[in-house]
Amino acid sequence: MVLRVSATSCLSATAFRSFTKWSFKSSQFHGESLDSSVSPILIPGVHVFHCPDVVGIVAKLSDCIAAKGGNILGYDVFVPENKNVFYSRSEFIFDPVKWPRSRMNKDFQTIAQKFSALSSVVRVPSLDPKYKIALLLSKQDHCLVEMLHKWQDGKLPVDITCVISNHERAPNTHIMRFLQRHGISYHYLPTTDQNKIEEEIFELVKDTDFLVLARYMQLLSGNFLKGYGKDVINIHHGLLPSFKGRNPVKQAFDAGVKLIGATTHFVTEELDSGPIIEQMVERVSHRDNLRSFVQKSEDLEKKCLMKAIKSYCELRVLPYGTQKTVVF
């Protein structure tokens, strides 16, 4: 159940149910207060909250924003049936002189302590540092190209620290020239069945906020995922569960399917079983040849991955149990 509520609404509660230990560690950011004595125009902020469901959560969060002169533009609430857990996401505008960024953190933290919150994250895009990410890919580069172009156009609110691949690319290709022009390093790390080069990868990505597997056809081990300790987002070539192994698109084509899809999900130790963030589908028919089939599949993958990353950066994605997500 998803509710859109007013700033004065309250939600009733039932007994507290212990929640999963899984959390989005990479959503922890610390902003800085604005060093200015002149009030600028109002700027937007986003806050997400996850706690046991009790009476008065919405009222308390709304009062916190209003008391500092902020104005709520949108408020989403989700209370699962018979789960006794509360999720919310608010978009608001505020004056950073009247409500400094550091003070905002403390105010929301006070509410988090009052309601024993499992997660309370606030983000002010114009003041907070952008997410630092690394991209991993193999031979196919359609997702990488899409991300680079969106990033260049300012539609991807991240800093791309590096691109890592187990396939070498010629220096005079469009991708390599683009990366060199924008100062993004490219690391060719060939892998074998016996050596996945995970130590080298870890050294390159350990300071990032999350990773994106943009068609990286290698498995990341449980040891790597635990050592990294932050979110890893993967784009999968179909609706999970789906065709597995080599040439999955050709498998689907040969099977004569009428719908193709793409799935973006969080990476876990179990292959292709992480919580799903986004899925997209498109119809195909007997009139499609393998070439048009592949093109439609790649287009879906690009769109699905970009939408998932955008949702993640906008704090729209929250854990729901061990295998699900809430996406506002």
Side-chain angles (χ1 to χ4, degrees):
M1 176 176 65
V2 178
L3 303 175
R4 289 189 177 274
V5 300
S6 67
T8 57
S9 298
C10 297
L11 293 173
S12 61
T14 51
F16 169 67
R17 185 179 72 88
S18 62
F19 200 73
T20 175
K21 295 181 180 179
W22 176 58
S23 64
F24 292 102
K25 299 178 183 177
S26 55
S27 292
Q28 304 301 321
F29 284 88
H30 306 282
E32 299 178 356
S33 60
L34 194 65
D35 183 19
S36 173
S37 59
V38 180
S39 178
I41 60 174
L42 300 179
I43 61 175
V46 179
H47 177 252
V48 292
F49 202 64
H50 170 201
C51 69
D53 182 30
V54 296
V55 172
I57 304 170
V58 173
K60 196 69 177 179
L61 291 170
S62 301
D63 287 345
C64 175
I65 296 172
K68 302 298 183 178
N71 185 34
I72 295 176
L73 302 181
Y75 205 112
D76 288 297
V77 169
F78 174 60
V79 180
E81 186 176 1
N82 300 321
K83 296 295 184 181
N84 303 311
V85 66
F86 173 94
Y87 297 89
S88 72
R89 179 181 183 274
S90 58
E91 295 183 0
F92 57 93
I93 53 176
F94 71 101
D95 183 335
V97 171
K98 296 179 179 178
W99 198 11
R101 183 67 179 84
S102 58
R103 180 72 250 176
M104 181 184 293
N105 277 345
K106 294 177 182 178
D107 291 340
F108 281 121
Q109 185 59 33
T110 298
I111 298 175
Q113 293 173 354
K114 175 181 176 62
F115 291 105
S116 301
L118 295 129
S119 177
S120 175
V121 181
V122 62
R123 183 158 178 80
V124 180
S126 62
L127 299 181
D128 295 348
K130 291 183 178 180
Y131 294 86
K132 293 188 297 182
I133 71 170
L135 308 178
L136 283 74
L137 74 155
S138 292
K139 189 175 182 179
Q140 293 177 294
D141 54 21
H142 55 283
C143 288
L144 172 65
V145 171
E146 180 74 4
M147 290 190 66
L148 292 177
H149 286 164
K150 294 293 185 184
W151 172 80
Q152 183 183 38
D153 293 341
K155 297 178 180 179
L156 193 61
V158 299
D159 283 331
I160 301 174
T161 62
C162 66
V163 174
I164 302 169
S165 179
N166 60 328
H167 284 261
E168 192 170 14
R169 284 170 169 79
N172 62 341
T173 60
H174 170 70
I175 289 177
M176 297 303 288
R177 291 197 302 267
F178 182 98
L179 295 176
Q180 185 177 21
R181 186 164 63 249
H182 291 280
I184 301 172
S185 60
Y186 181 88
H187 301 273
Y188 166 49
L189 300 178
T191 59
T192 65
D193 292 339
Q194 293 73 34
N195 187 1
K196 299 299 183 181
I197 320 293
E198 290 191 342
E199 290 183 4
E200 292 86 342
I201 294 174
F202 178 78
E203 287 302 314
L204 292 171
V205 306
K206 62 183 179 181
D207 294 327
T208 58
D209 296 308
F210 67 95
L211 301 181
V212 176
L213 308 187
R215 301 296 282 134
Y216 186 61
M217 309 308 292
Q218 300 292 317
L219 300 180
L220 296 176
S221 70
N223 287 336
F224 177 89
L225 296 175
K226 291 175 183 177
Y228 180 64
K230 289 165 278 191
D231 293 320
V232 181
I233 297 175
N234 180 56
I235 179 66
H236 188 273
H237 48 246
L239 292 175
L240 293 173
S242 63
F243 298 98
K244 295 184 178 181
R246 292 181 178 274
N247 298 318
V249 176
K250 188 175 186 302
Q251 290 182 51
F253 175 73
D254 292 341
V257 302
K258 304 305 180 187
L259 281 175
I260 58 173
T263 300
T264 307
H265 65 96
F266 289 104
V267 176
T268 60
E269 292 187 45
E270 189 174 352
L271 178 64
D272 296 335
S273 298
I276 293 171
I277 305 171
E278 183 60 58
Q279 290 184 301
M280 293 183 179
V281 297
E282 183 171 334
R283 293 200 65 84
V284 291
S285 74
H286 58 278
R287 297 185 183 279
D288 282 290
N289 56 32
L290 181 57
R291 183 175 181 178
S292 65
F293 201 97
V294 169
Q295 184 62 56
K296 288 182 178 180
S297 180
E298 290 183 351
D299 288 344
L300 273 182
E301 291 171 10
K302 293 187 293 186
K303 294 175 184 177
C304 188
L305 180 59
M306 286 302 306
K307 185 173 181 181
I309 294 175
K310 188 172 185 292
S311 294
Y312 185 92
C313 292
E314 293 176 352
L315 301 187
R316 297 183 182 276
V317 184
L318 289 168
Y320 175 25
T322 58
Q323 290 296 323
K324 296 182 179 180
T325 57
V326 172
V327 182
F328 284 119

